[in-house]
Amino acid sequence: MEFHDQGIIISLRKYGEYDAVIDLMTAEHGRHAGLVKGGMGRRQRGTLQPGNEVMVSWRGRLENQLGTYAVELRNARSASFLNYPSKLGVLNSACAILSVTLMEREAHPALYKALQILLDTLERVDDRPENWGALLVQWEIGLLAELGFGLDFSCCAATGVTEDLVYISPKSGRAVSREAGAPYHDKMLNLPKFLCGGGEINESDIRDGLHLSEFFLERYVLQPNNKKIPQARRMLLDYLTY
């Protein structure tokens, strides 16, 4: 069995003395792991860092075995994040989220493209949360939709109005207007303005967005599979001021 693809490295672990097992988010084969011979050696270790974009050839005797990767570096993206703790935090969070939410070898080409856009944008902007927070939240909500758990911000679930949407129902995942949600204020989740296409992005809205996507990731994807939100994801709140 053999395939050729492009991918973004999401994790690396040592295997034996010199080899490494890498987990990739690939364009056509989903999240897919493989062994890299000599991957922990000096020549390849810099290539096999999370966030780096690579071209790979995978071979295995059987389709369901681990198999081996031959790896060629395409974009050493991880190096550009090393001096920016919040950017590195976003990278680590996105990689960790993919590791715990995606089934292995299940293709998600749209999600792969969205990950490319997230990381490419992260390279271009400075490390203030206002520059990456909204995009990360939108990426996580897109991940939910890709897995079949899309949220609906188009109109109020109770009245059908499309204006003054400030809450989201934790039960239905649908937006709720200020008036309709007022009696249940303490039970609602805050809906950031940027998810409805309006308003300046600020850290308060980013915090609300991170809580929102985390809530539904845990409810719909992680808890049913006895998994928890990764620590790397929780640490993102440390980059927001209170």
Side-chain angles (χ1 to χ4, degrees), residues 23-223:
D23 204 7
L24 294 179
M25 182 62 194
T26 66
E28 298 179 4
H29 296 83
R31 184 171 72 86
H32 198 292
L35 178 71
V36 180
K37 299 281 183 69
M40 300 304 293
R42 181 183 298 179
R43 188 172 65 86
Q44 293 198 77
R45 192 168 184 177
T47 296
L48 304 182
Q49 295 303 306
N52 283 355
E53 197 166 342
V54 294
M55 299 298 297
V56 294
S57 297
W58 179 88
R59 290 184 179 181
R61 188 172 61 85
L62 300 173
E63 186 177 2
N64 60 354
Q65 72 174 160
L66 179 63
T68 60
Y69 273 130
V71 181
E72 179 183 343
L73 182 63
R74 184 175 181 181
N75 181 3
R77 186 185 282 111
S78 63
S80 64
F81 296 161
L82 292 178
N83 294 322
Y84 302 97
S86 70
K87 290 187 179 187
L88 196 59
V90 174
L91 169 63
N92 290 337
S93 174
C95 290
I97 287 289
L98 290 172
S99 294
V100 297
T101 58
L102 296 187
M103 295 280 291
E104 269 207 272
R105 306 188 182 193
E106 187 176 272
H108 294 282
L111 186 58
Y112 174 78
K113 186 63 177 178
L115 179 62
Q116 278 188 314
I117 292 171
L118 172 67
L119 298 182
D120 287 346
T121 302
L122 204 60
E123 279 191 286
R124 295 194 301 268
V125 301
D126 67 40
D127 61 345
R128 291 178 299 157
E130 294 89 342
N131 289 327
W132 53 258
L135 185 60
L136 176 64
V137 171
Q138 290 165 337
W139 179 80
E140 291 182 345
I141 289 172
L143 168 62
L144 280 165
E146 180 73 11
L147 296 178
F149 305 106
L151 307 181
D152 184 359
F153 311 126
S154 61
C155 65
C156 175
T159 65
V161 301
T162 58
E163 297 180 351
D164 203 24
L165 304 177
V166 299
Y167 304 115
I168 187 162
S169 167
K171 291 184 177 180
S172 67
R174 296 184 62 192
V176 179
S177 69
R178 188 185 307 274
E179 182 179 359
Y184 315 100
H185 170 80
D186 294 340
K187 298 180 180 180
M188 294 289 182
L189 299 168
N190 292 329
L191 178 59
K193 297 181 186 67
F194 63 77
L195 289 177
C196 297
E200 292 185 3
I201 298 172
N202 57 54
E203 291 197 9
S204 177
D205 277 346
I206 293 170
R207 191 179 304 112
D208 287 341
L210 290 173
H211 283 309
L212 175 67
S213 55
E214 179 178 321
F215 176 86
F216 286 106
L217 281 168
E218 287 191 312
R219 179 178 179 180
Y220 290 144
V221 183
L222 299 179
Q223 289 177 358

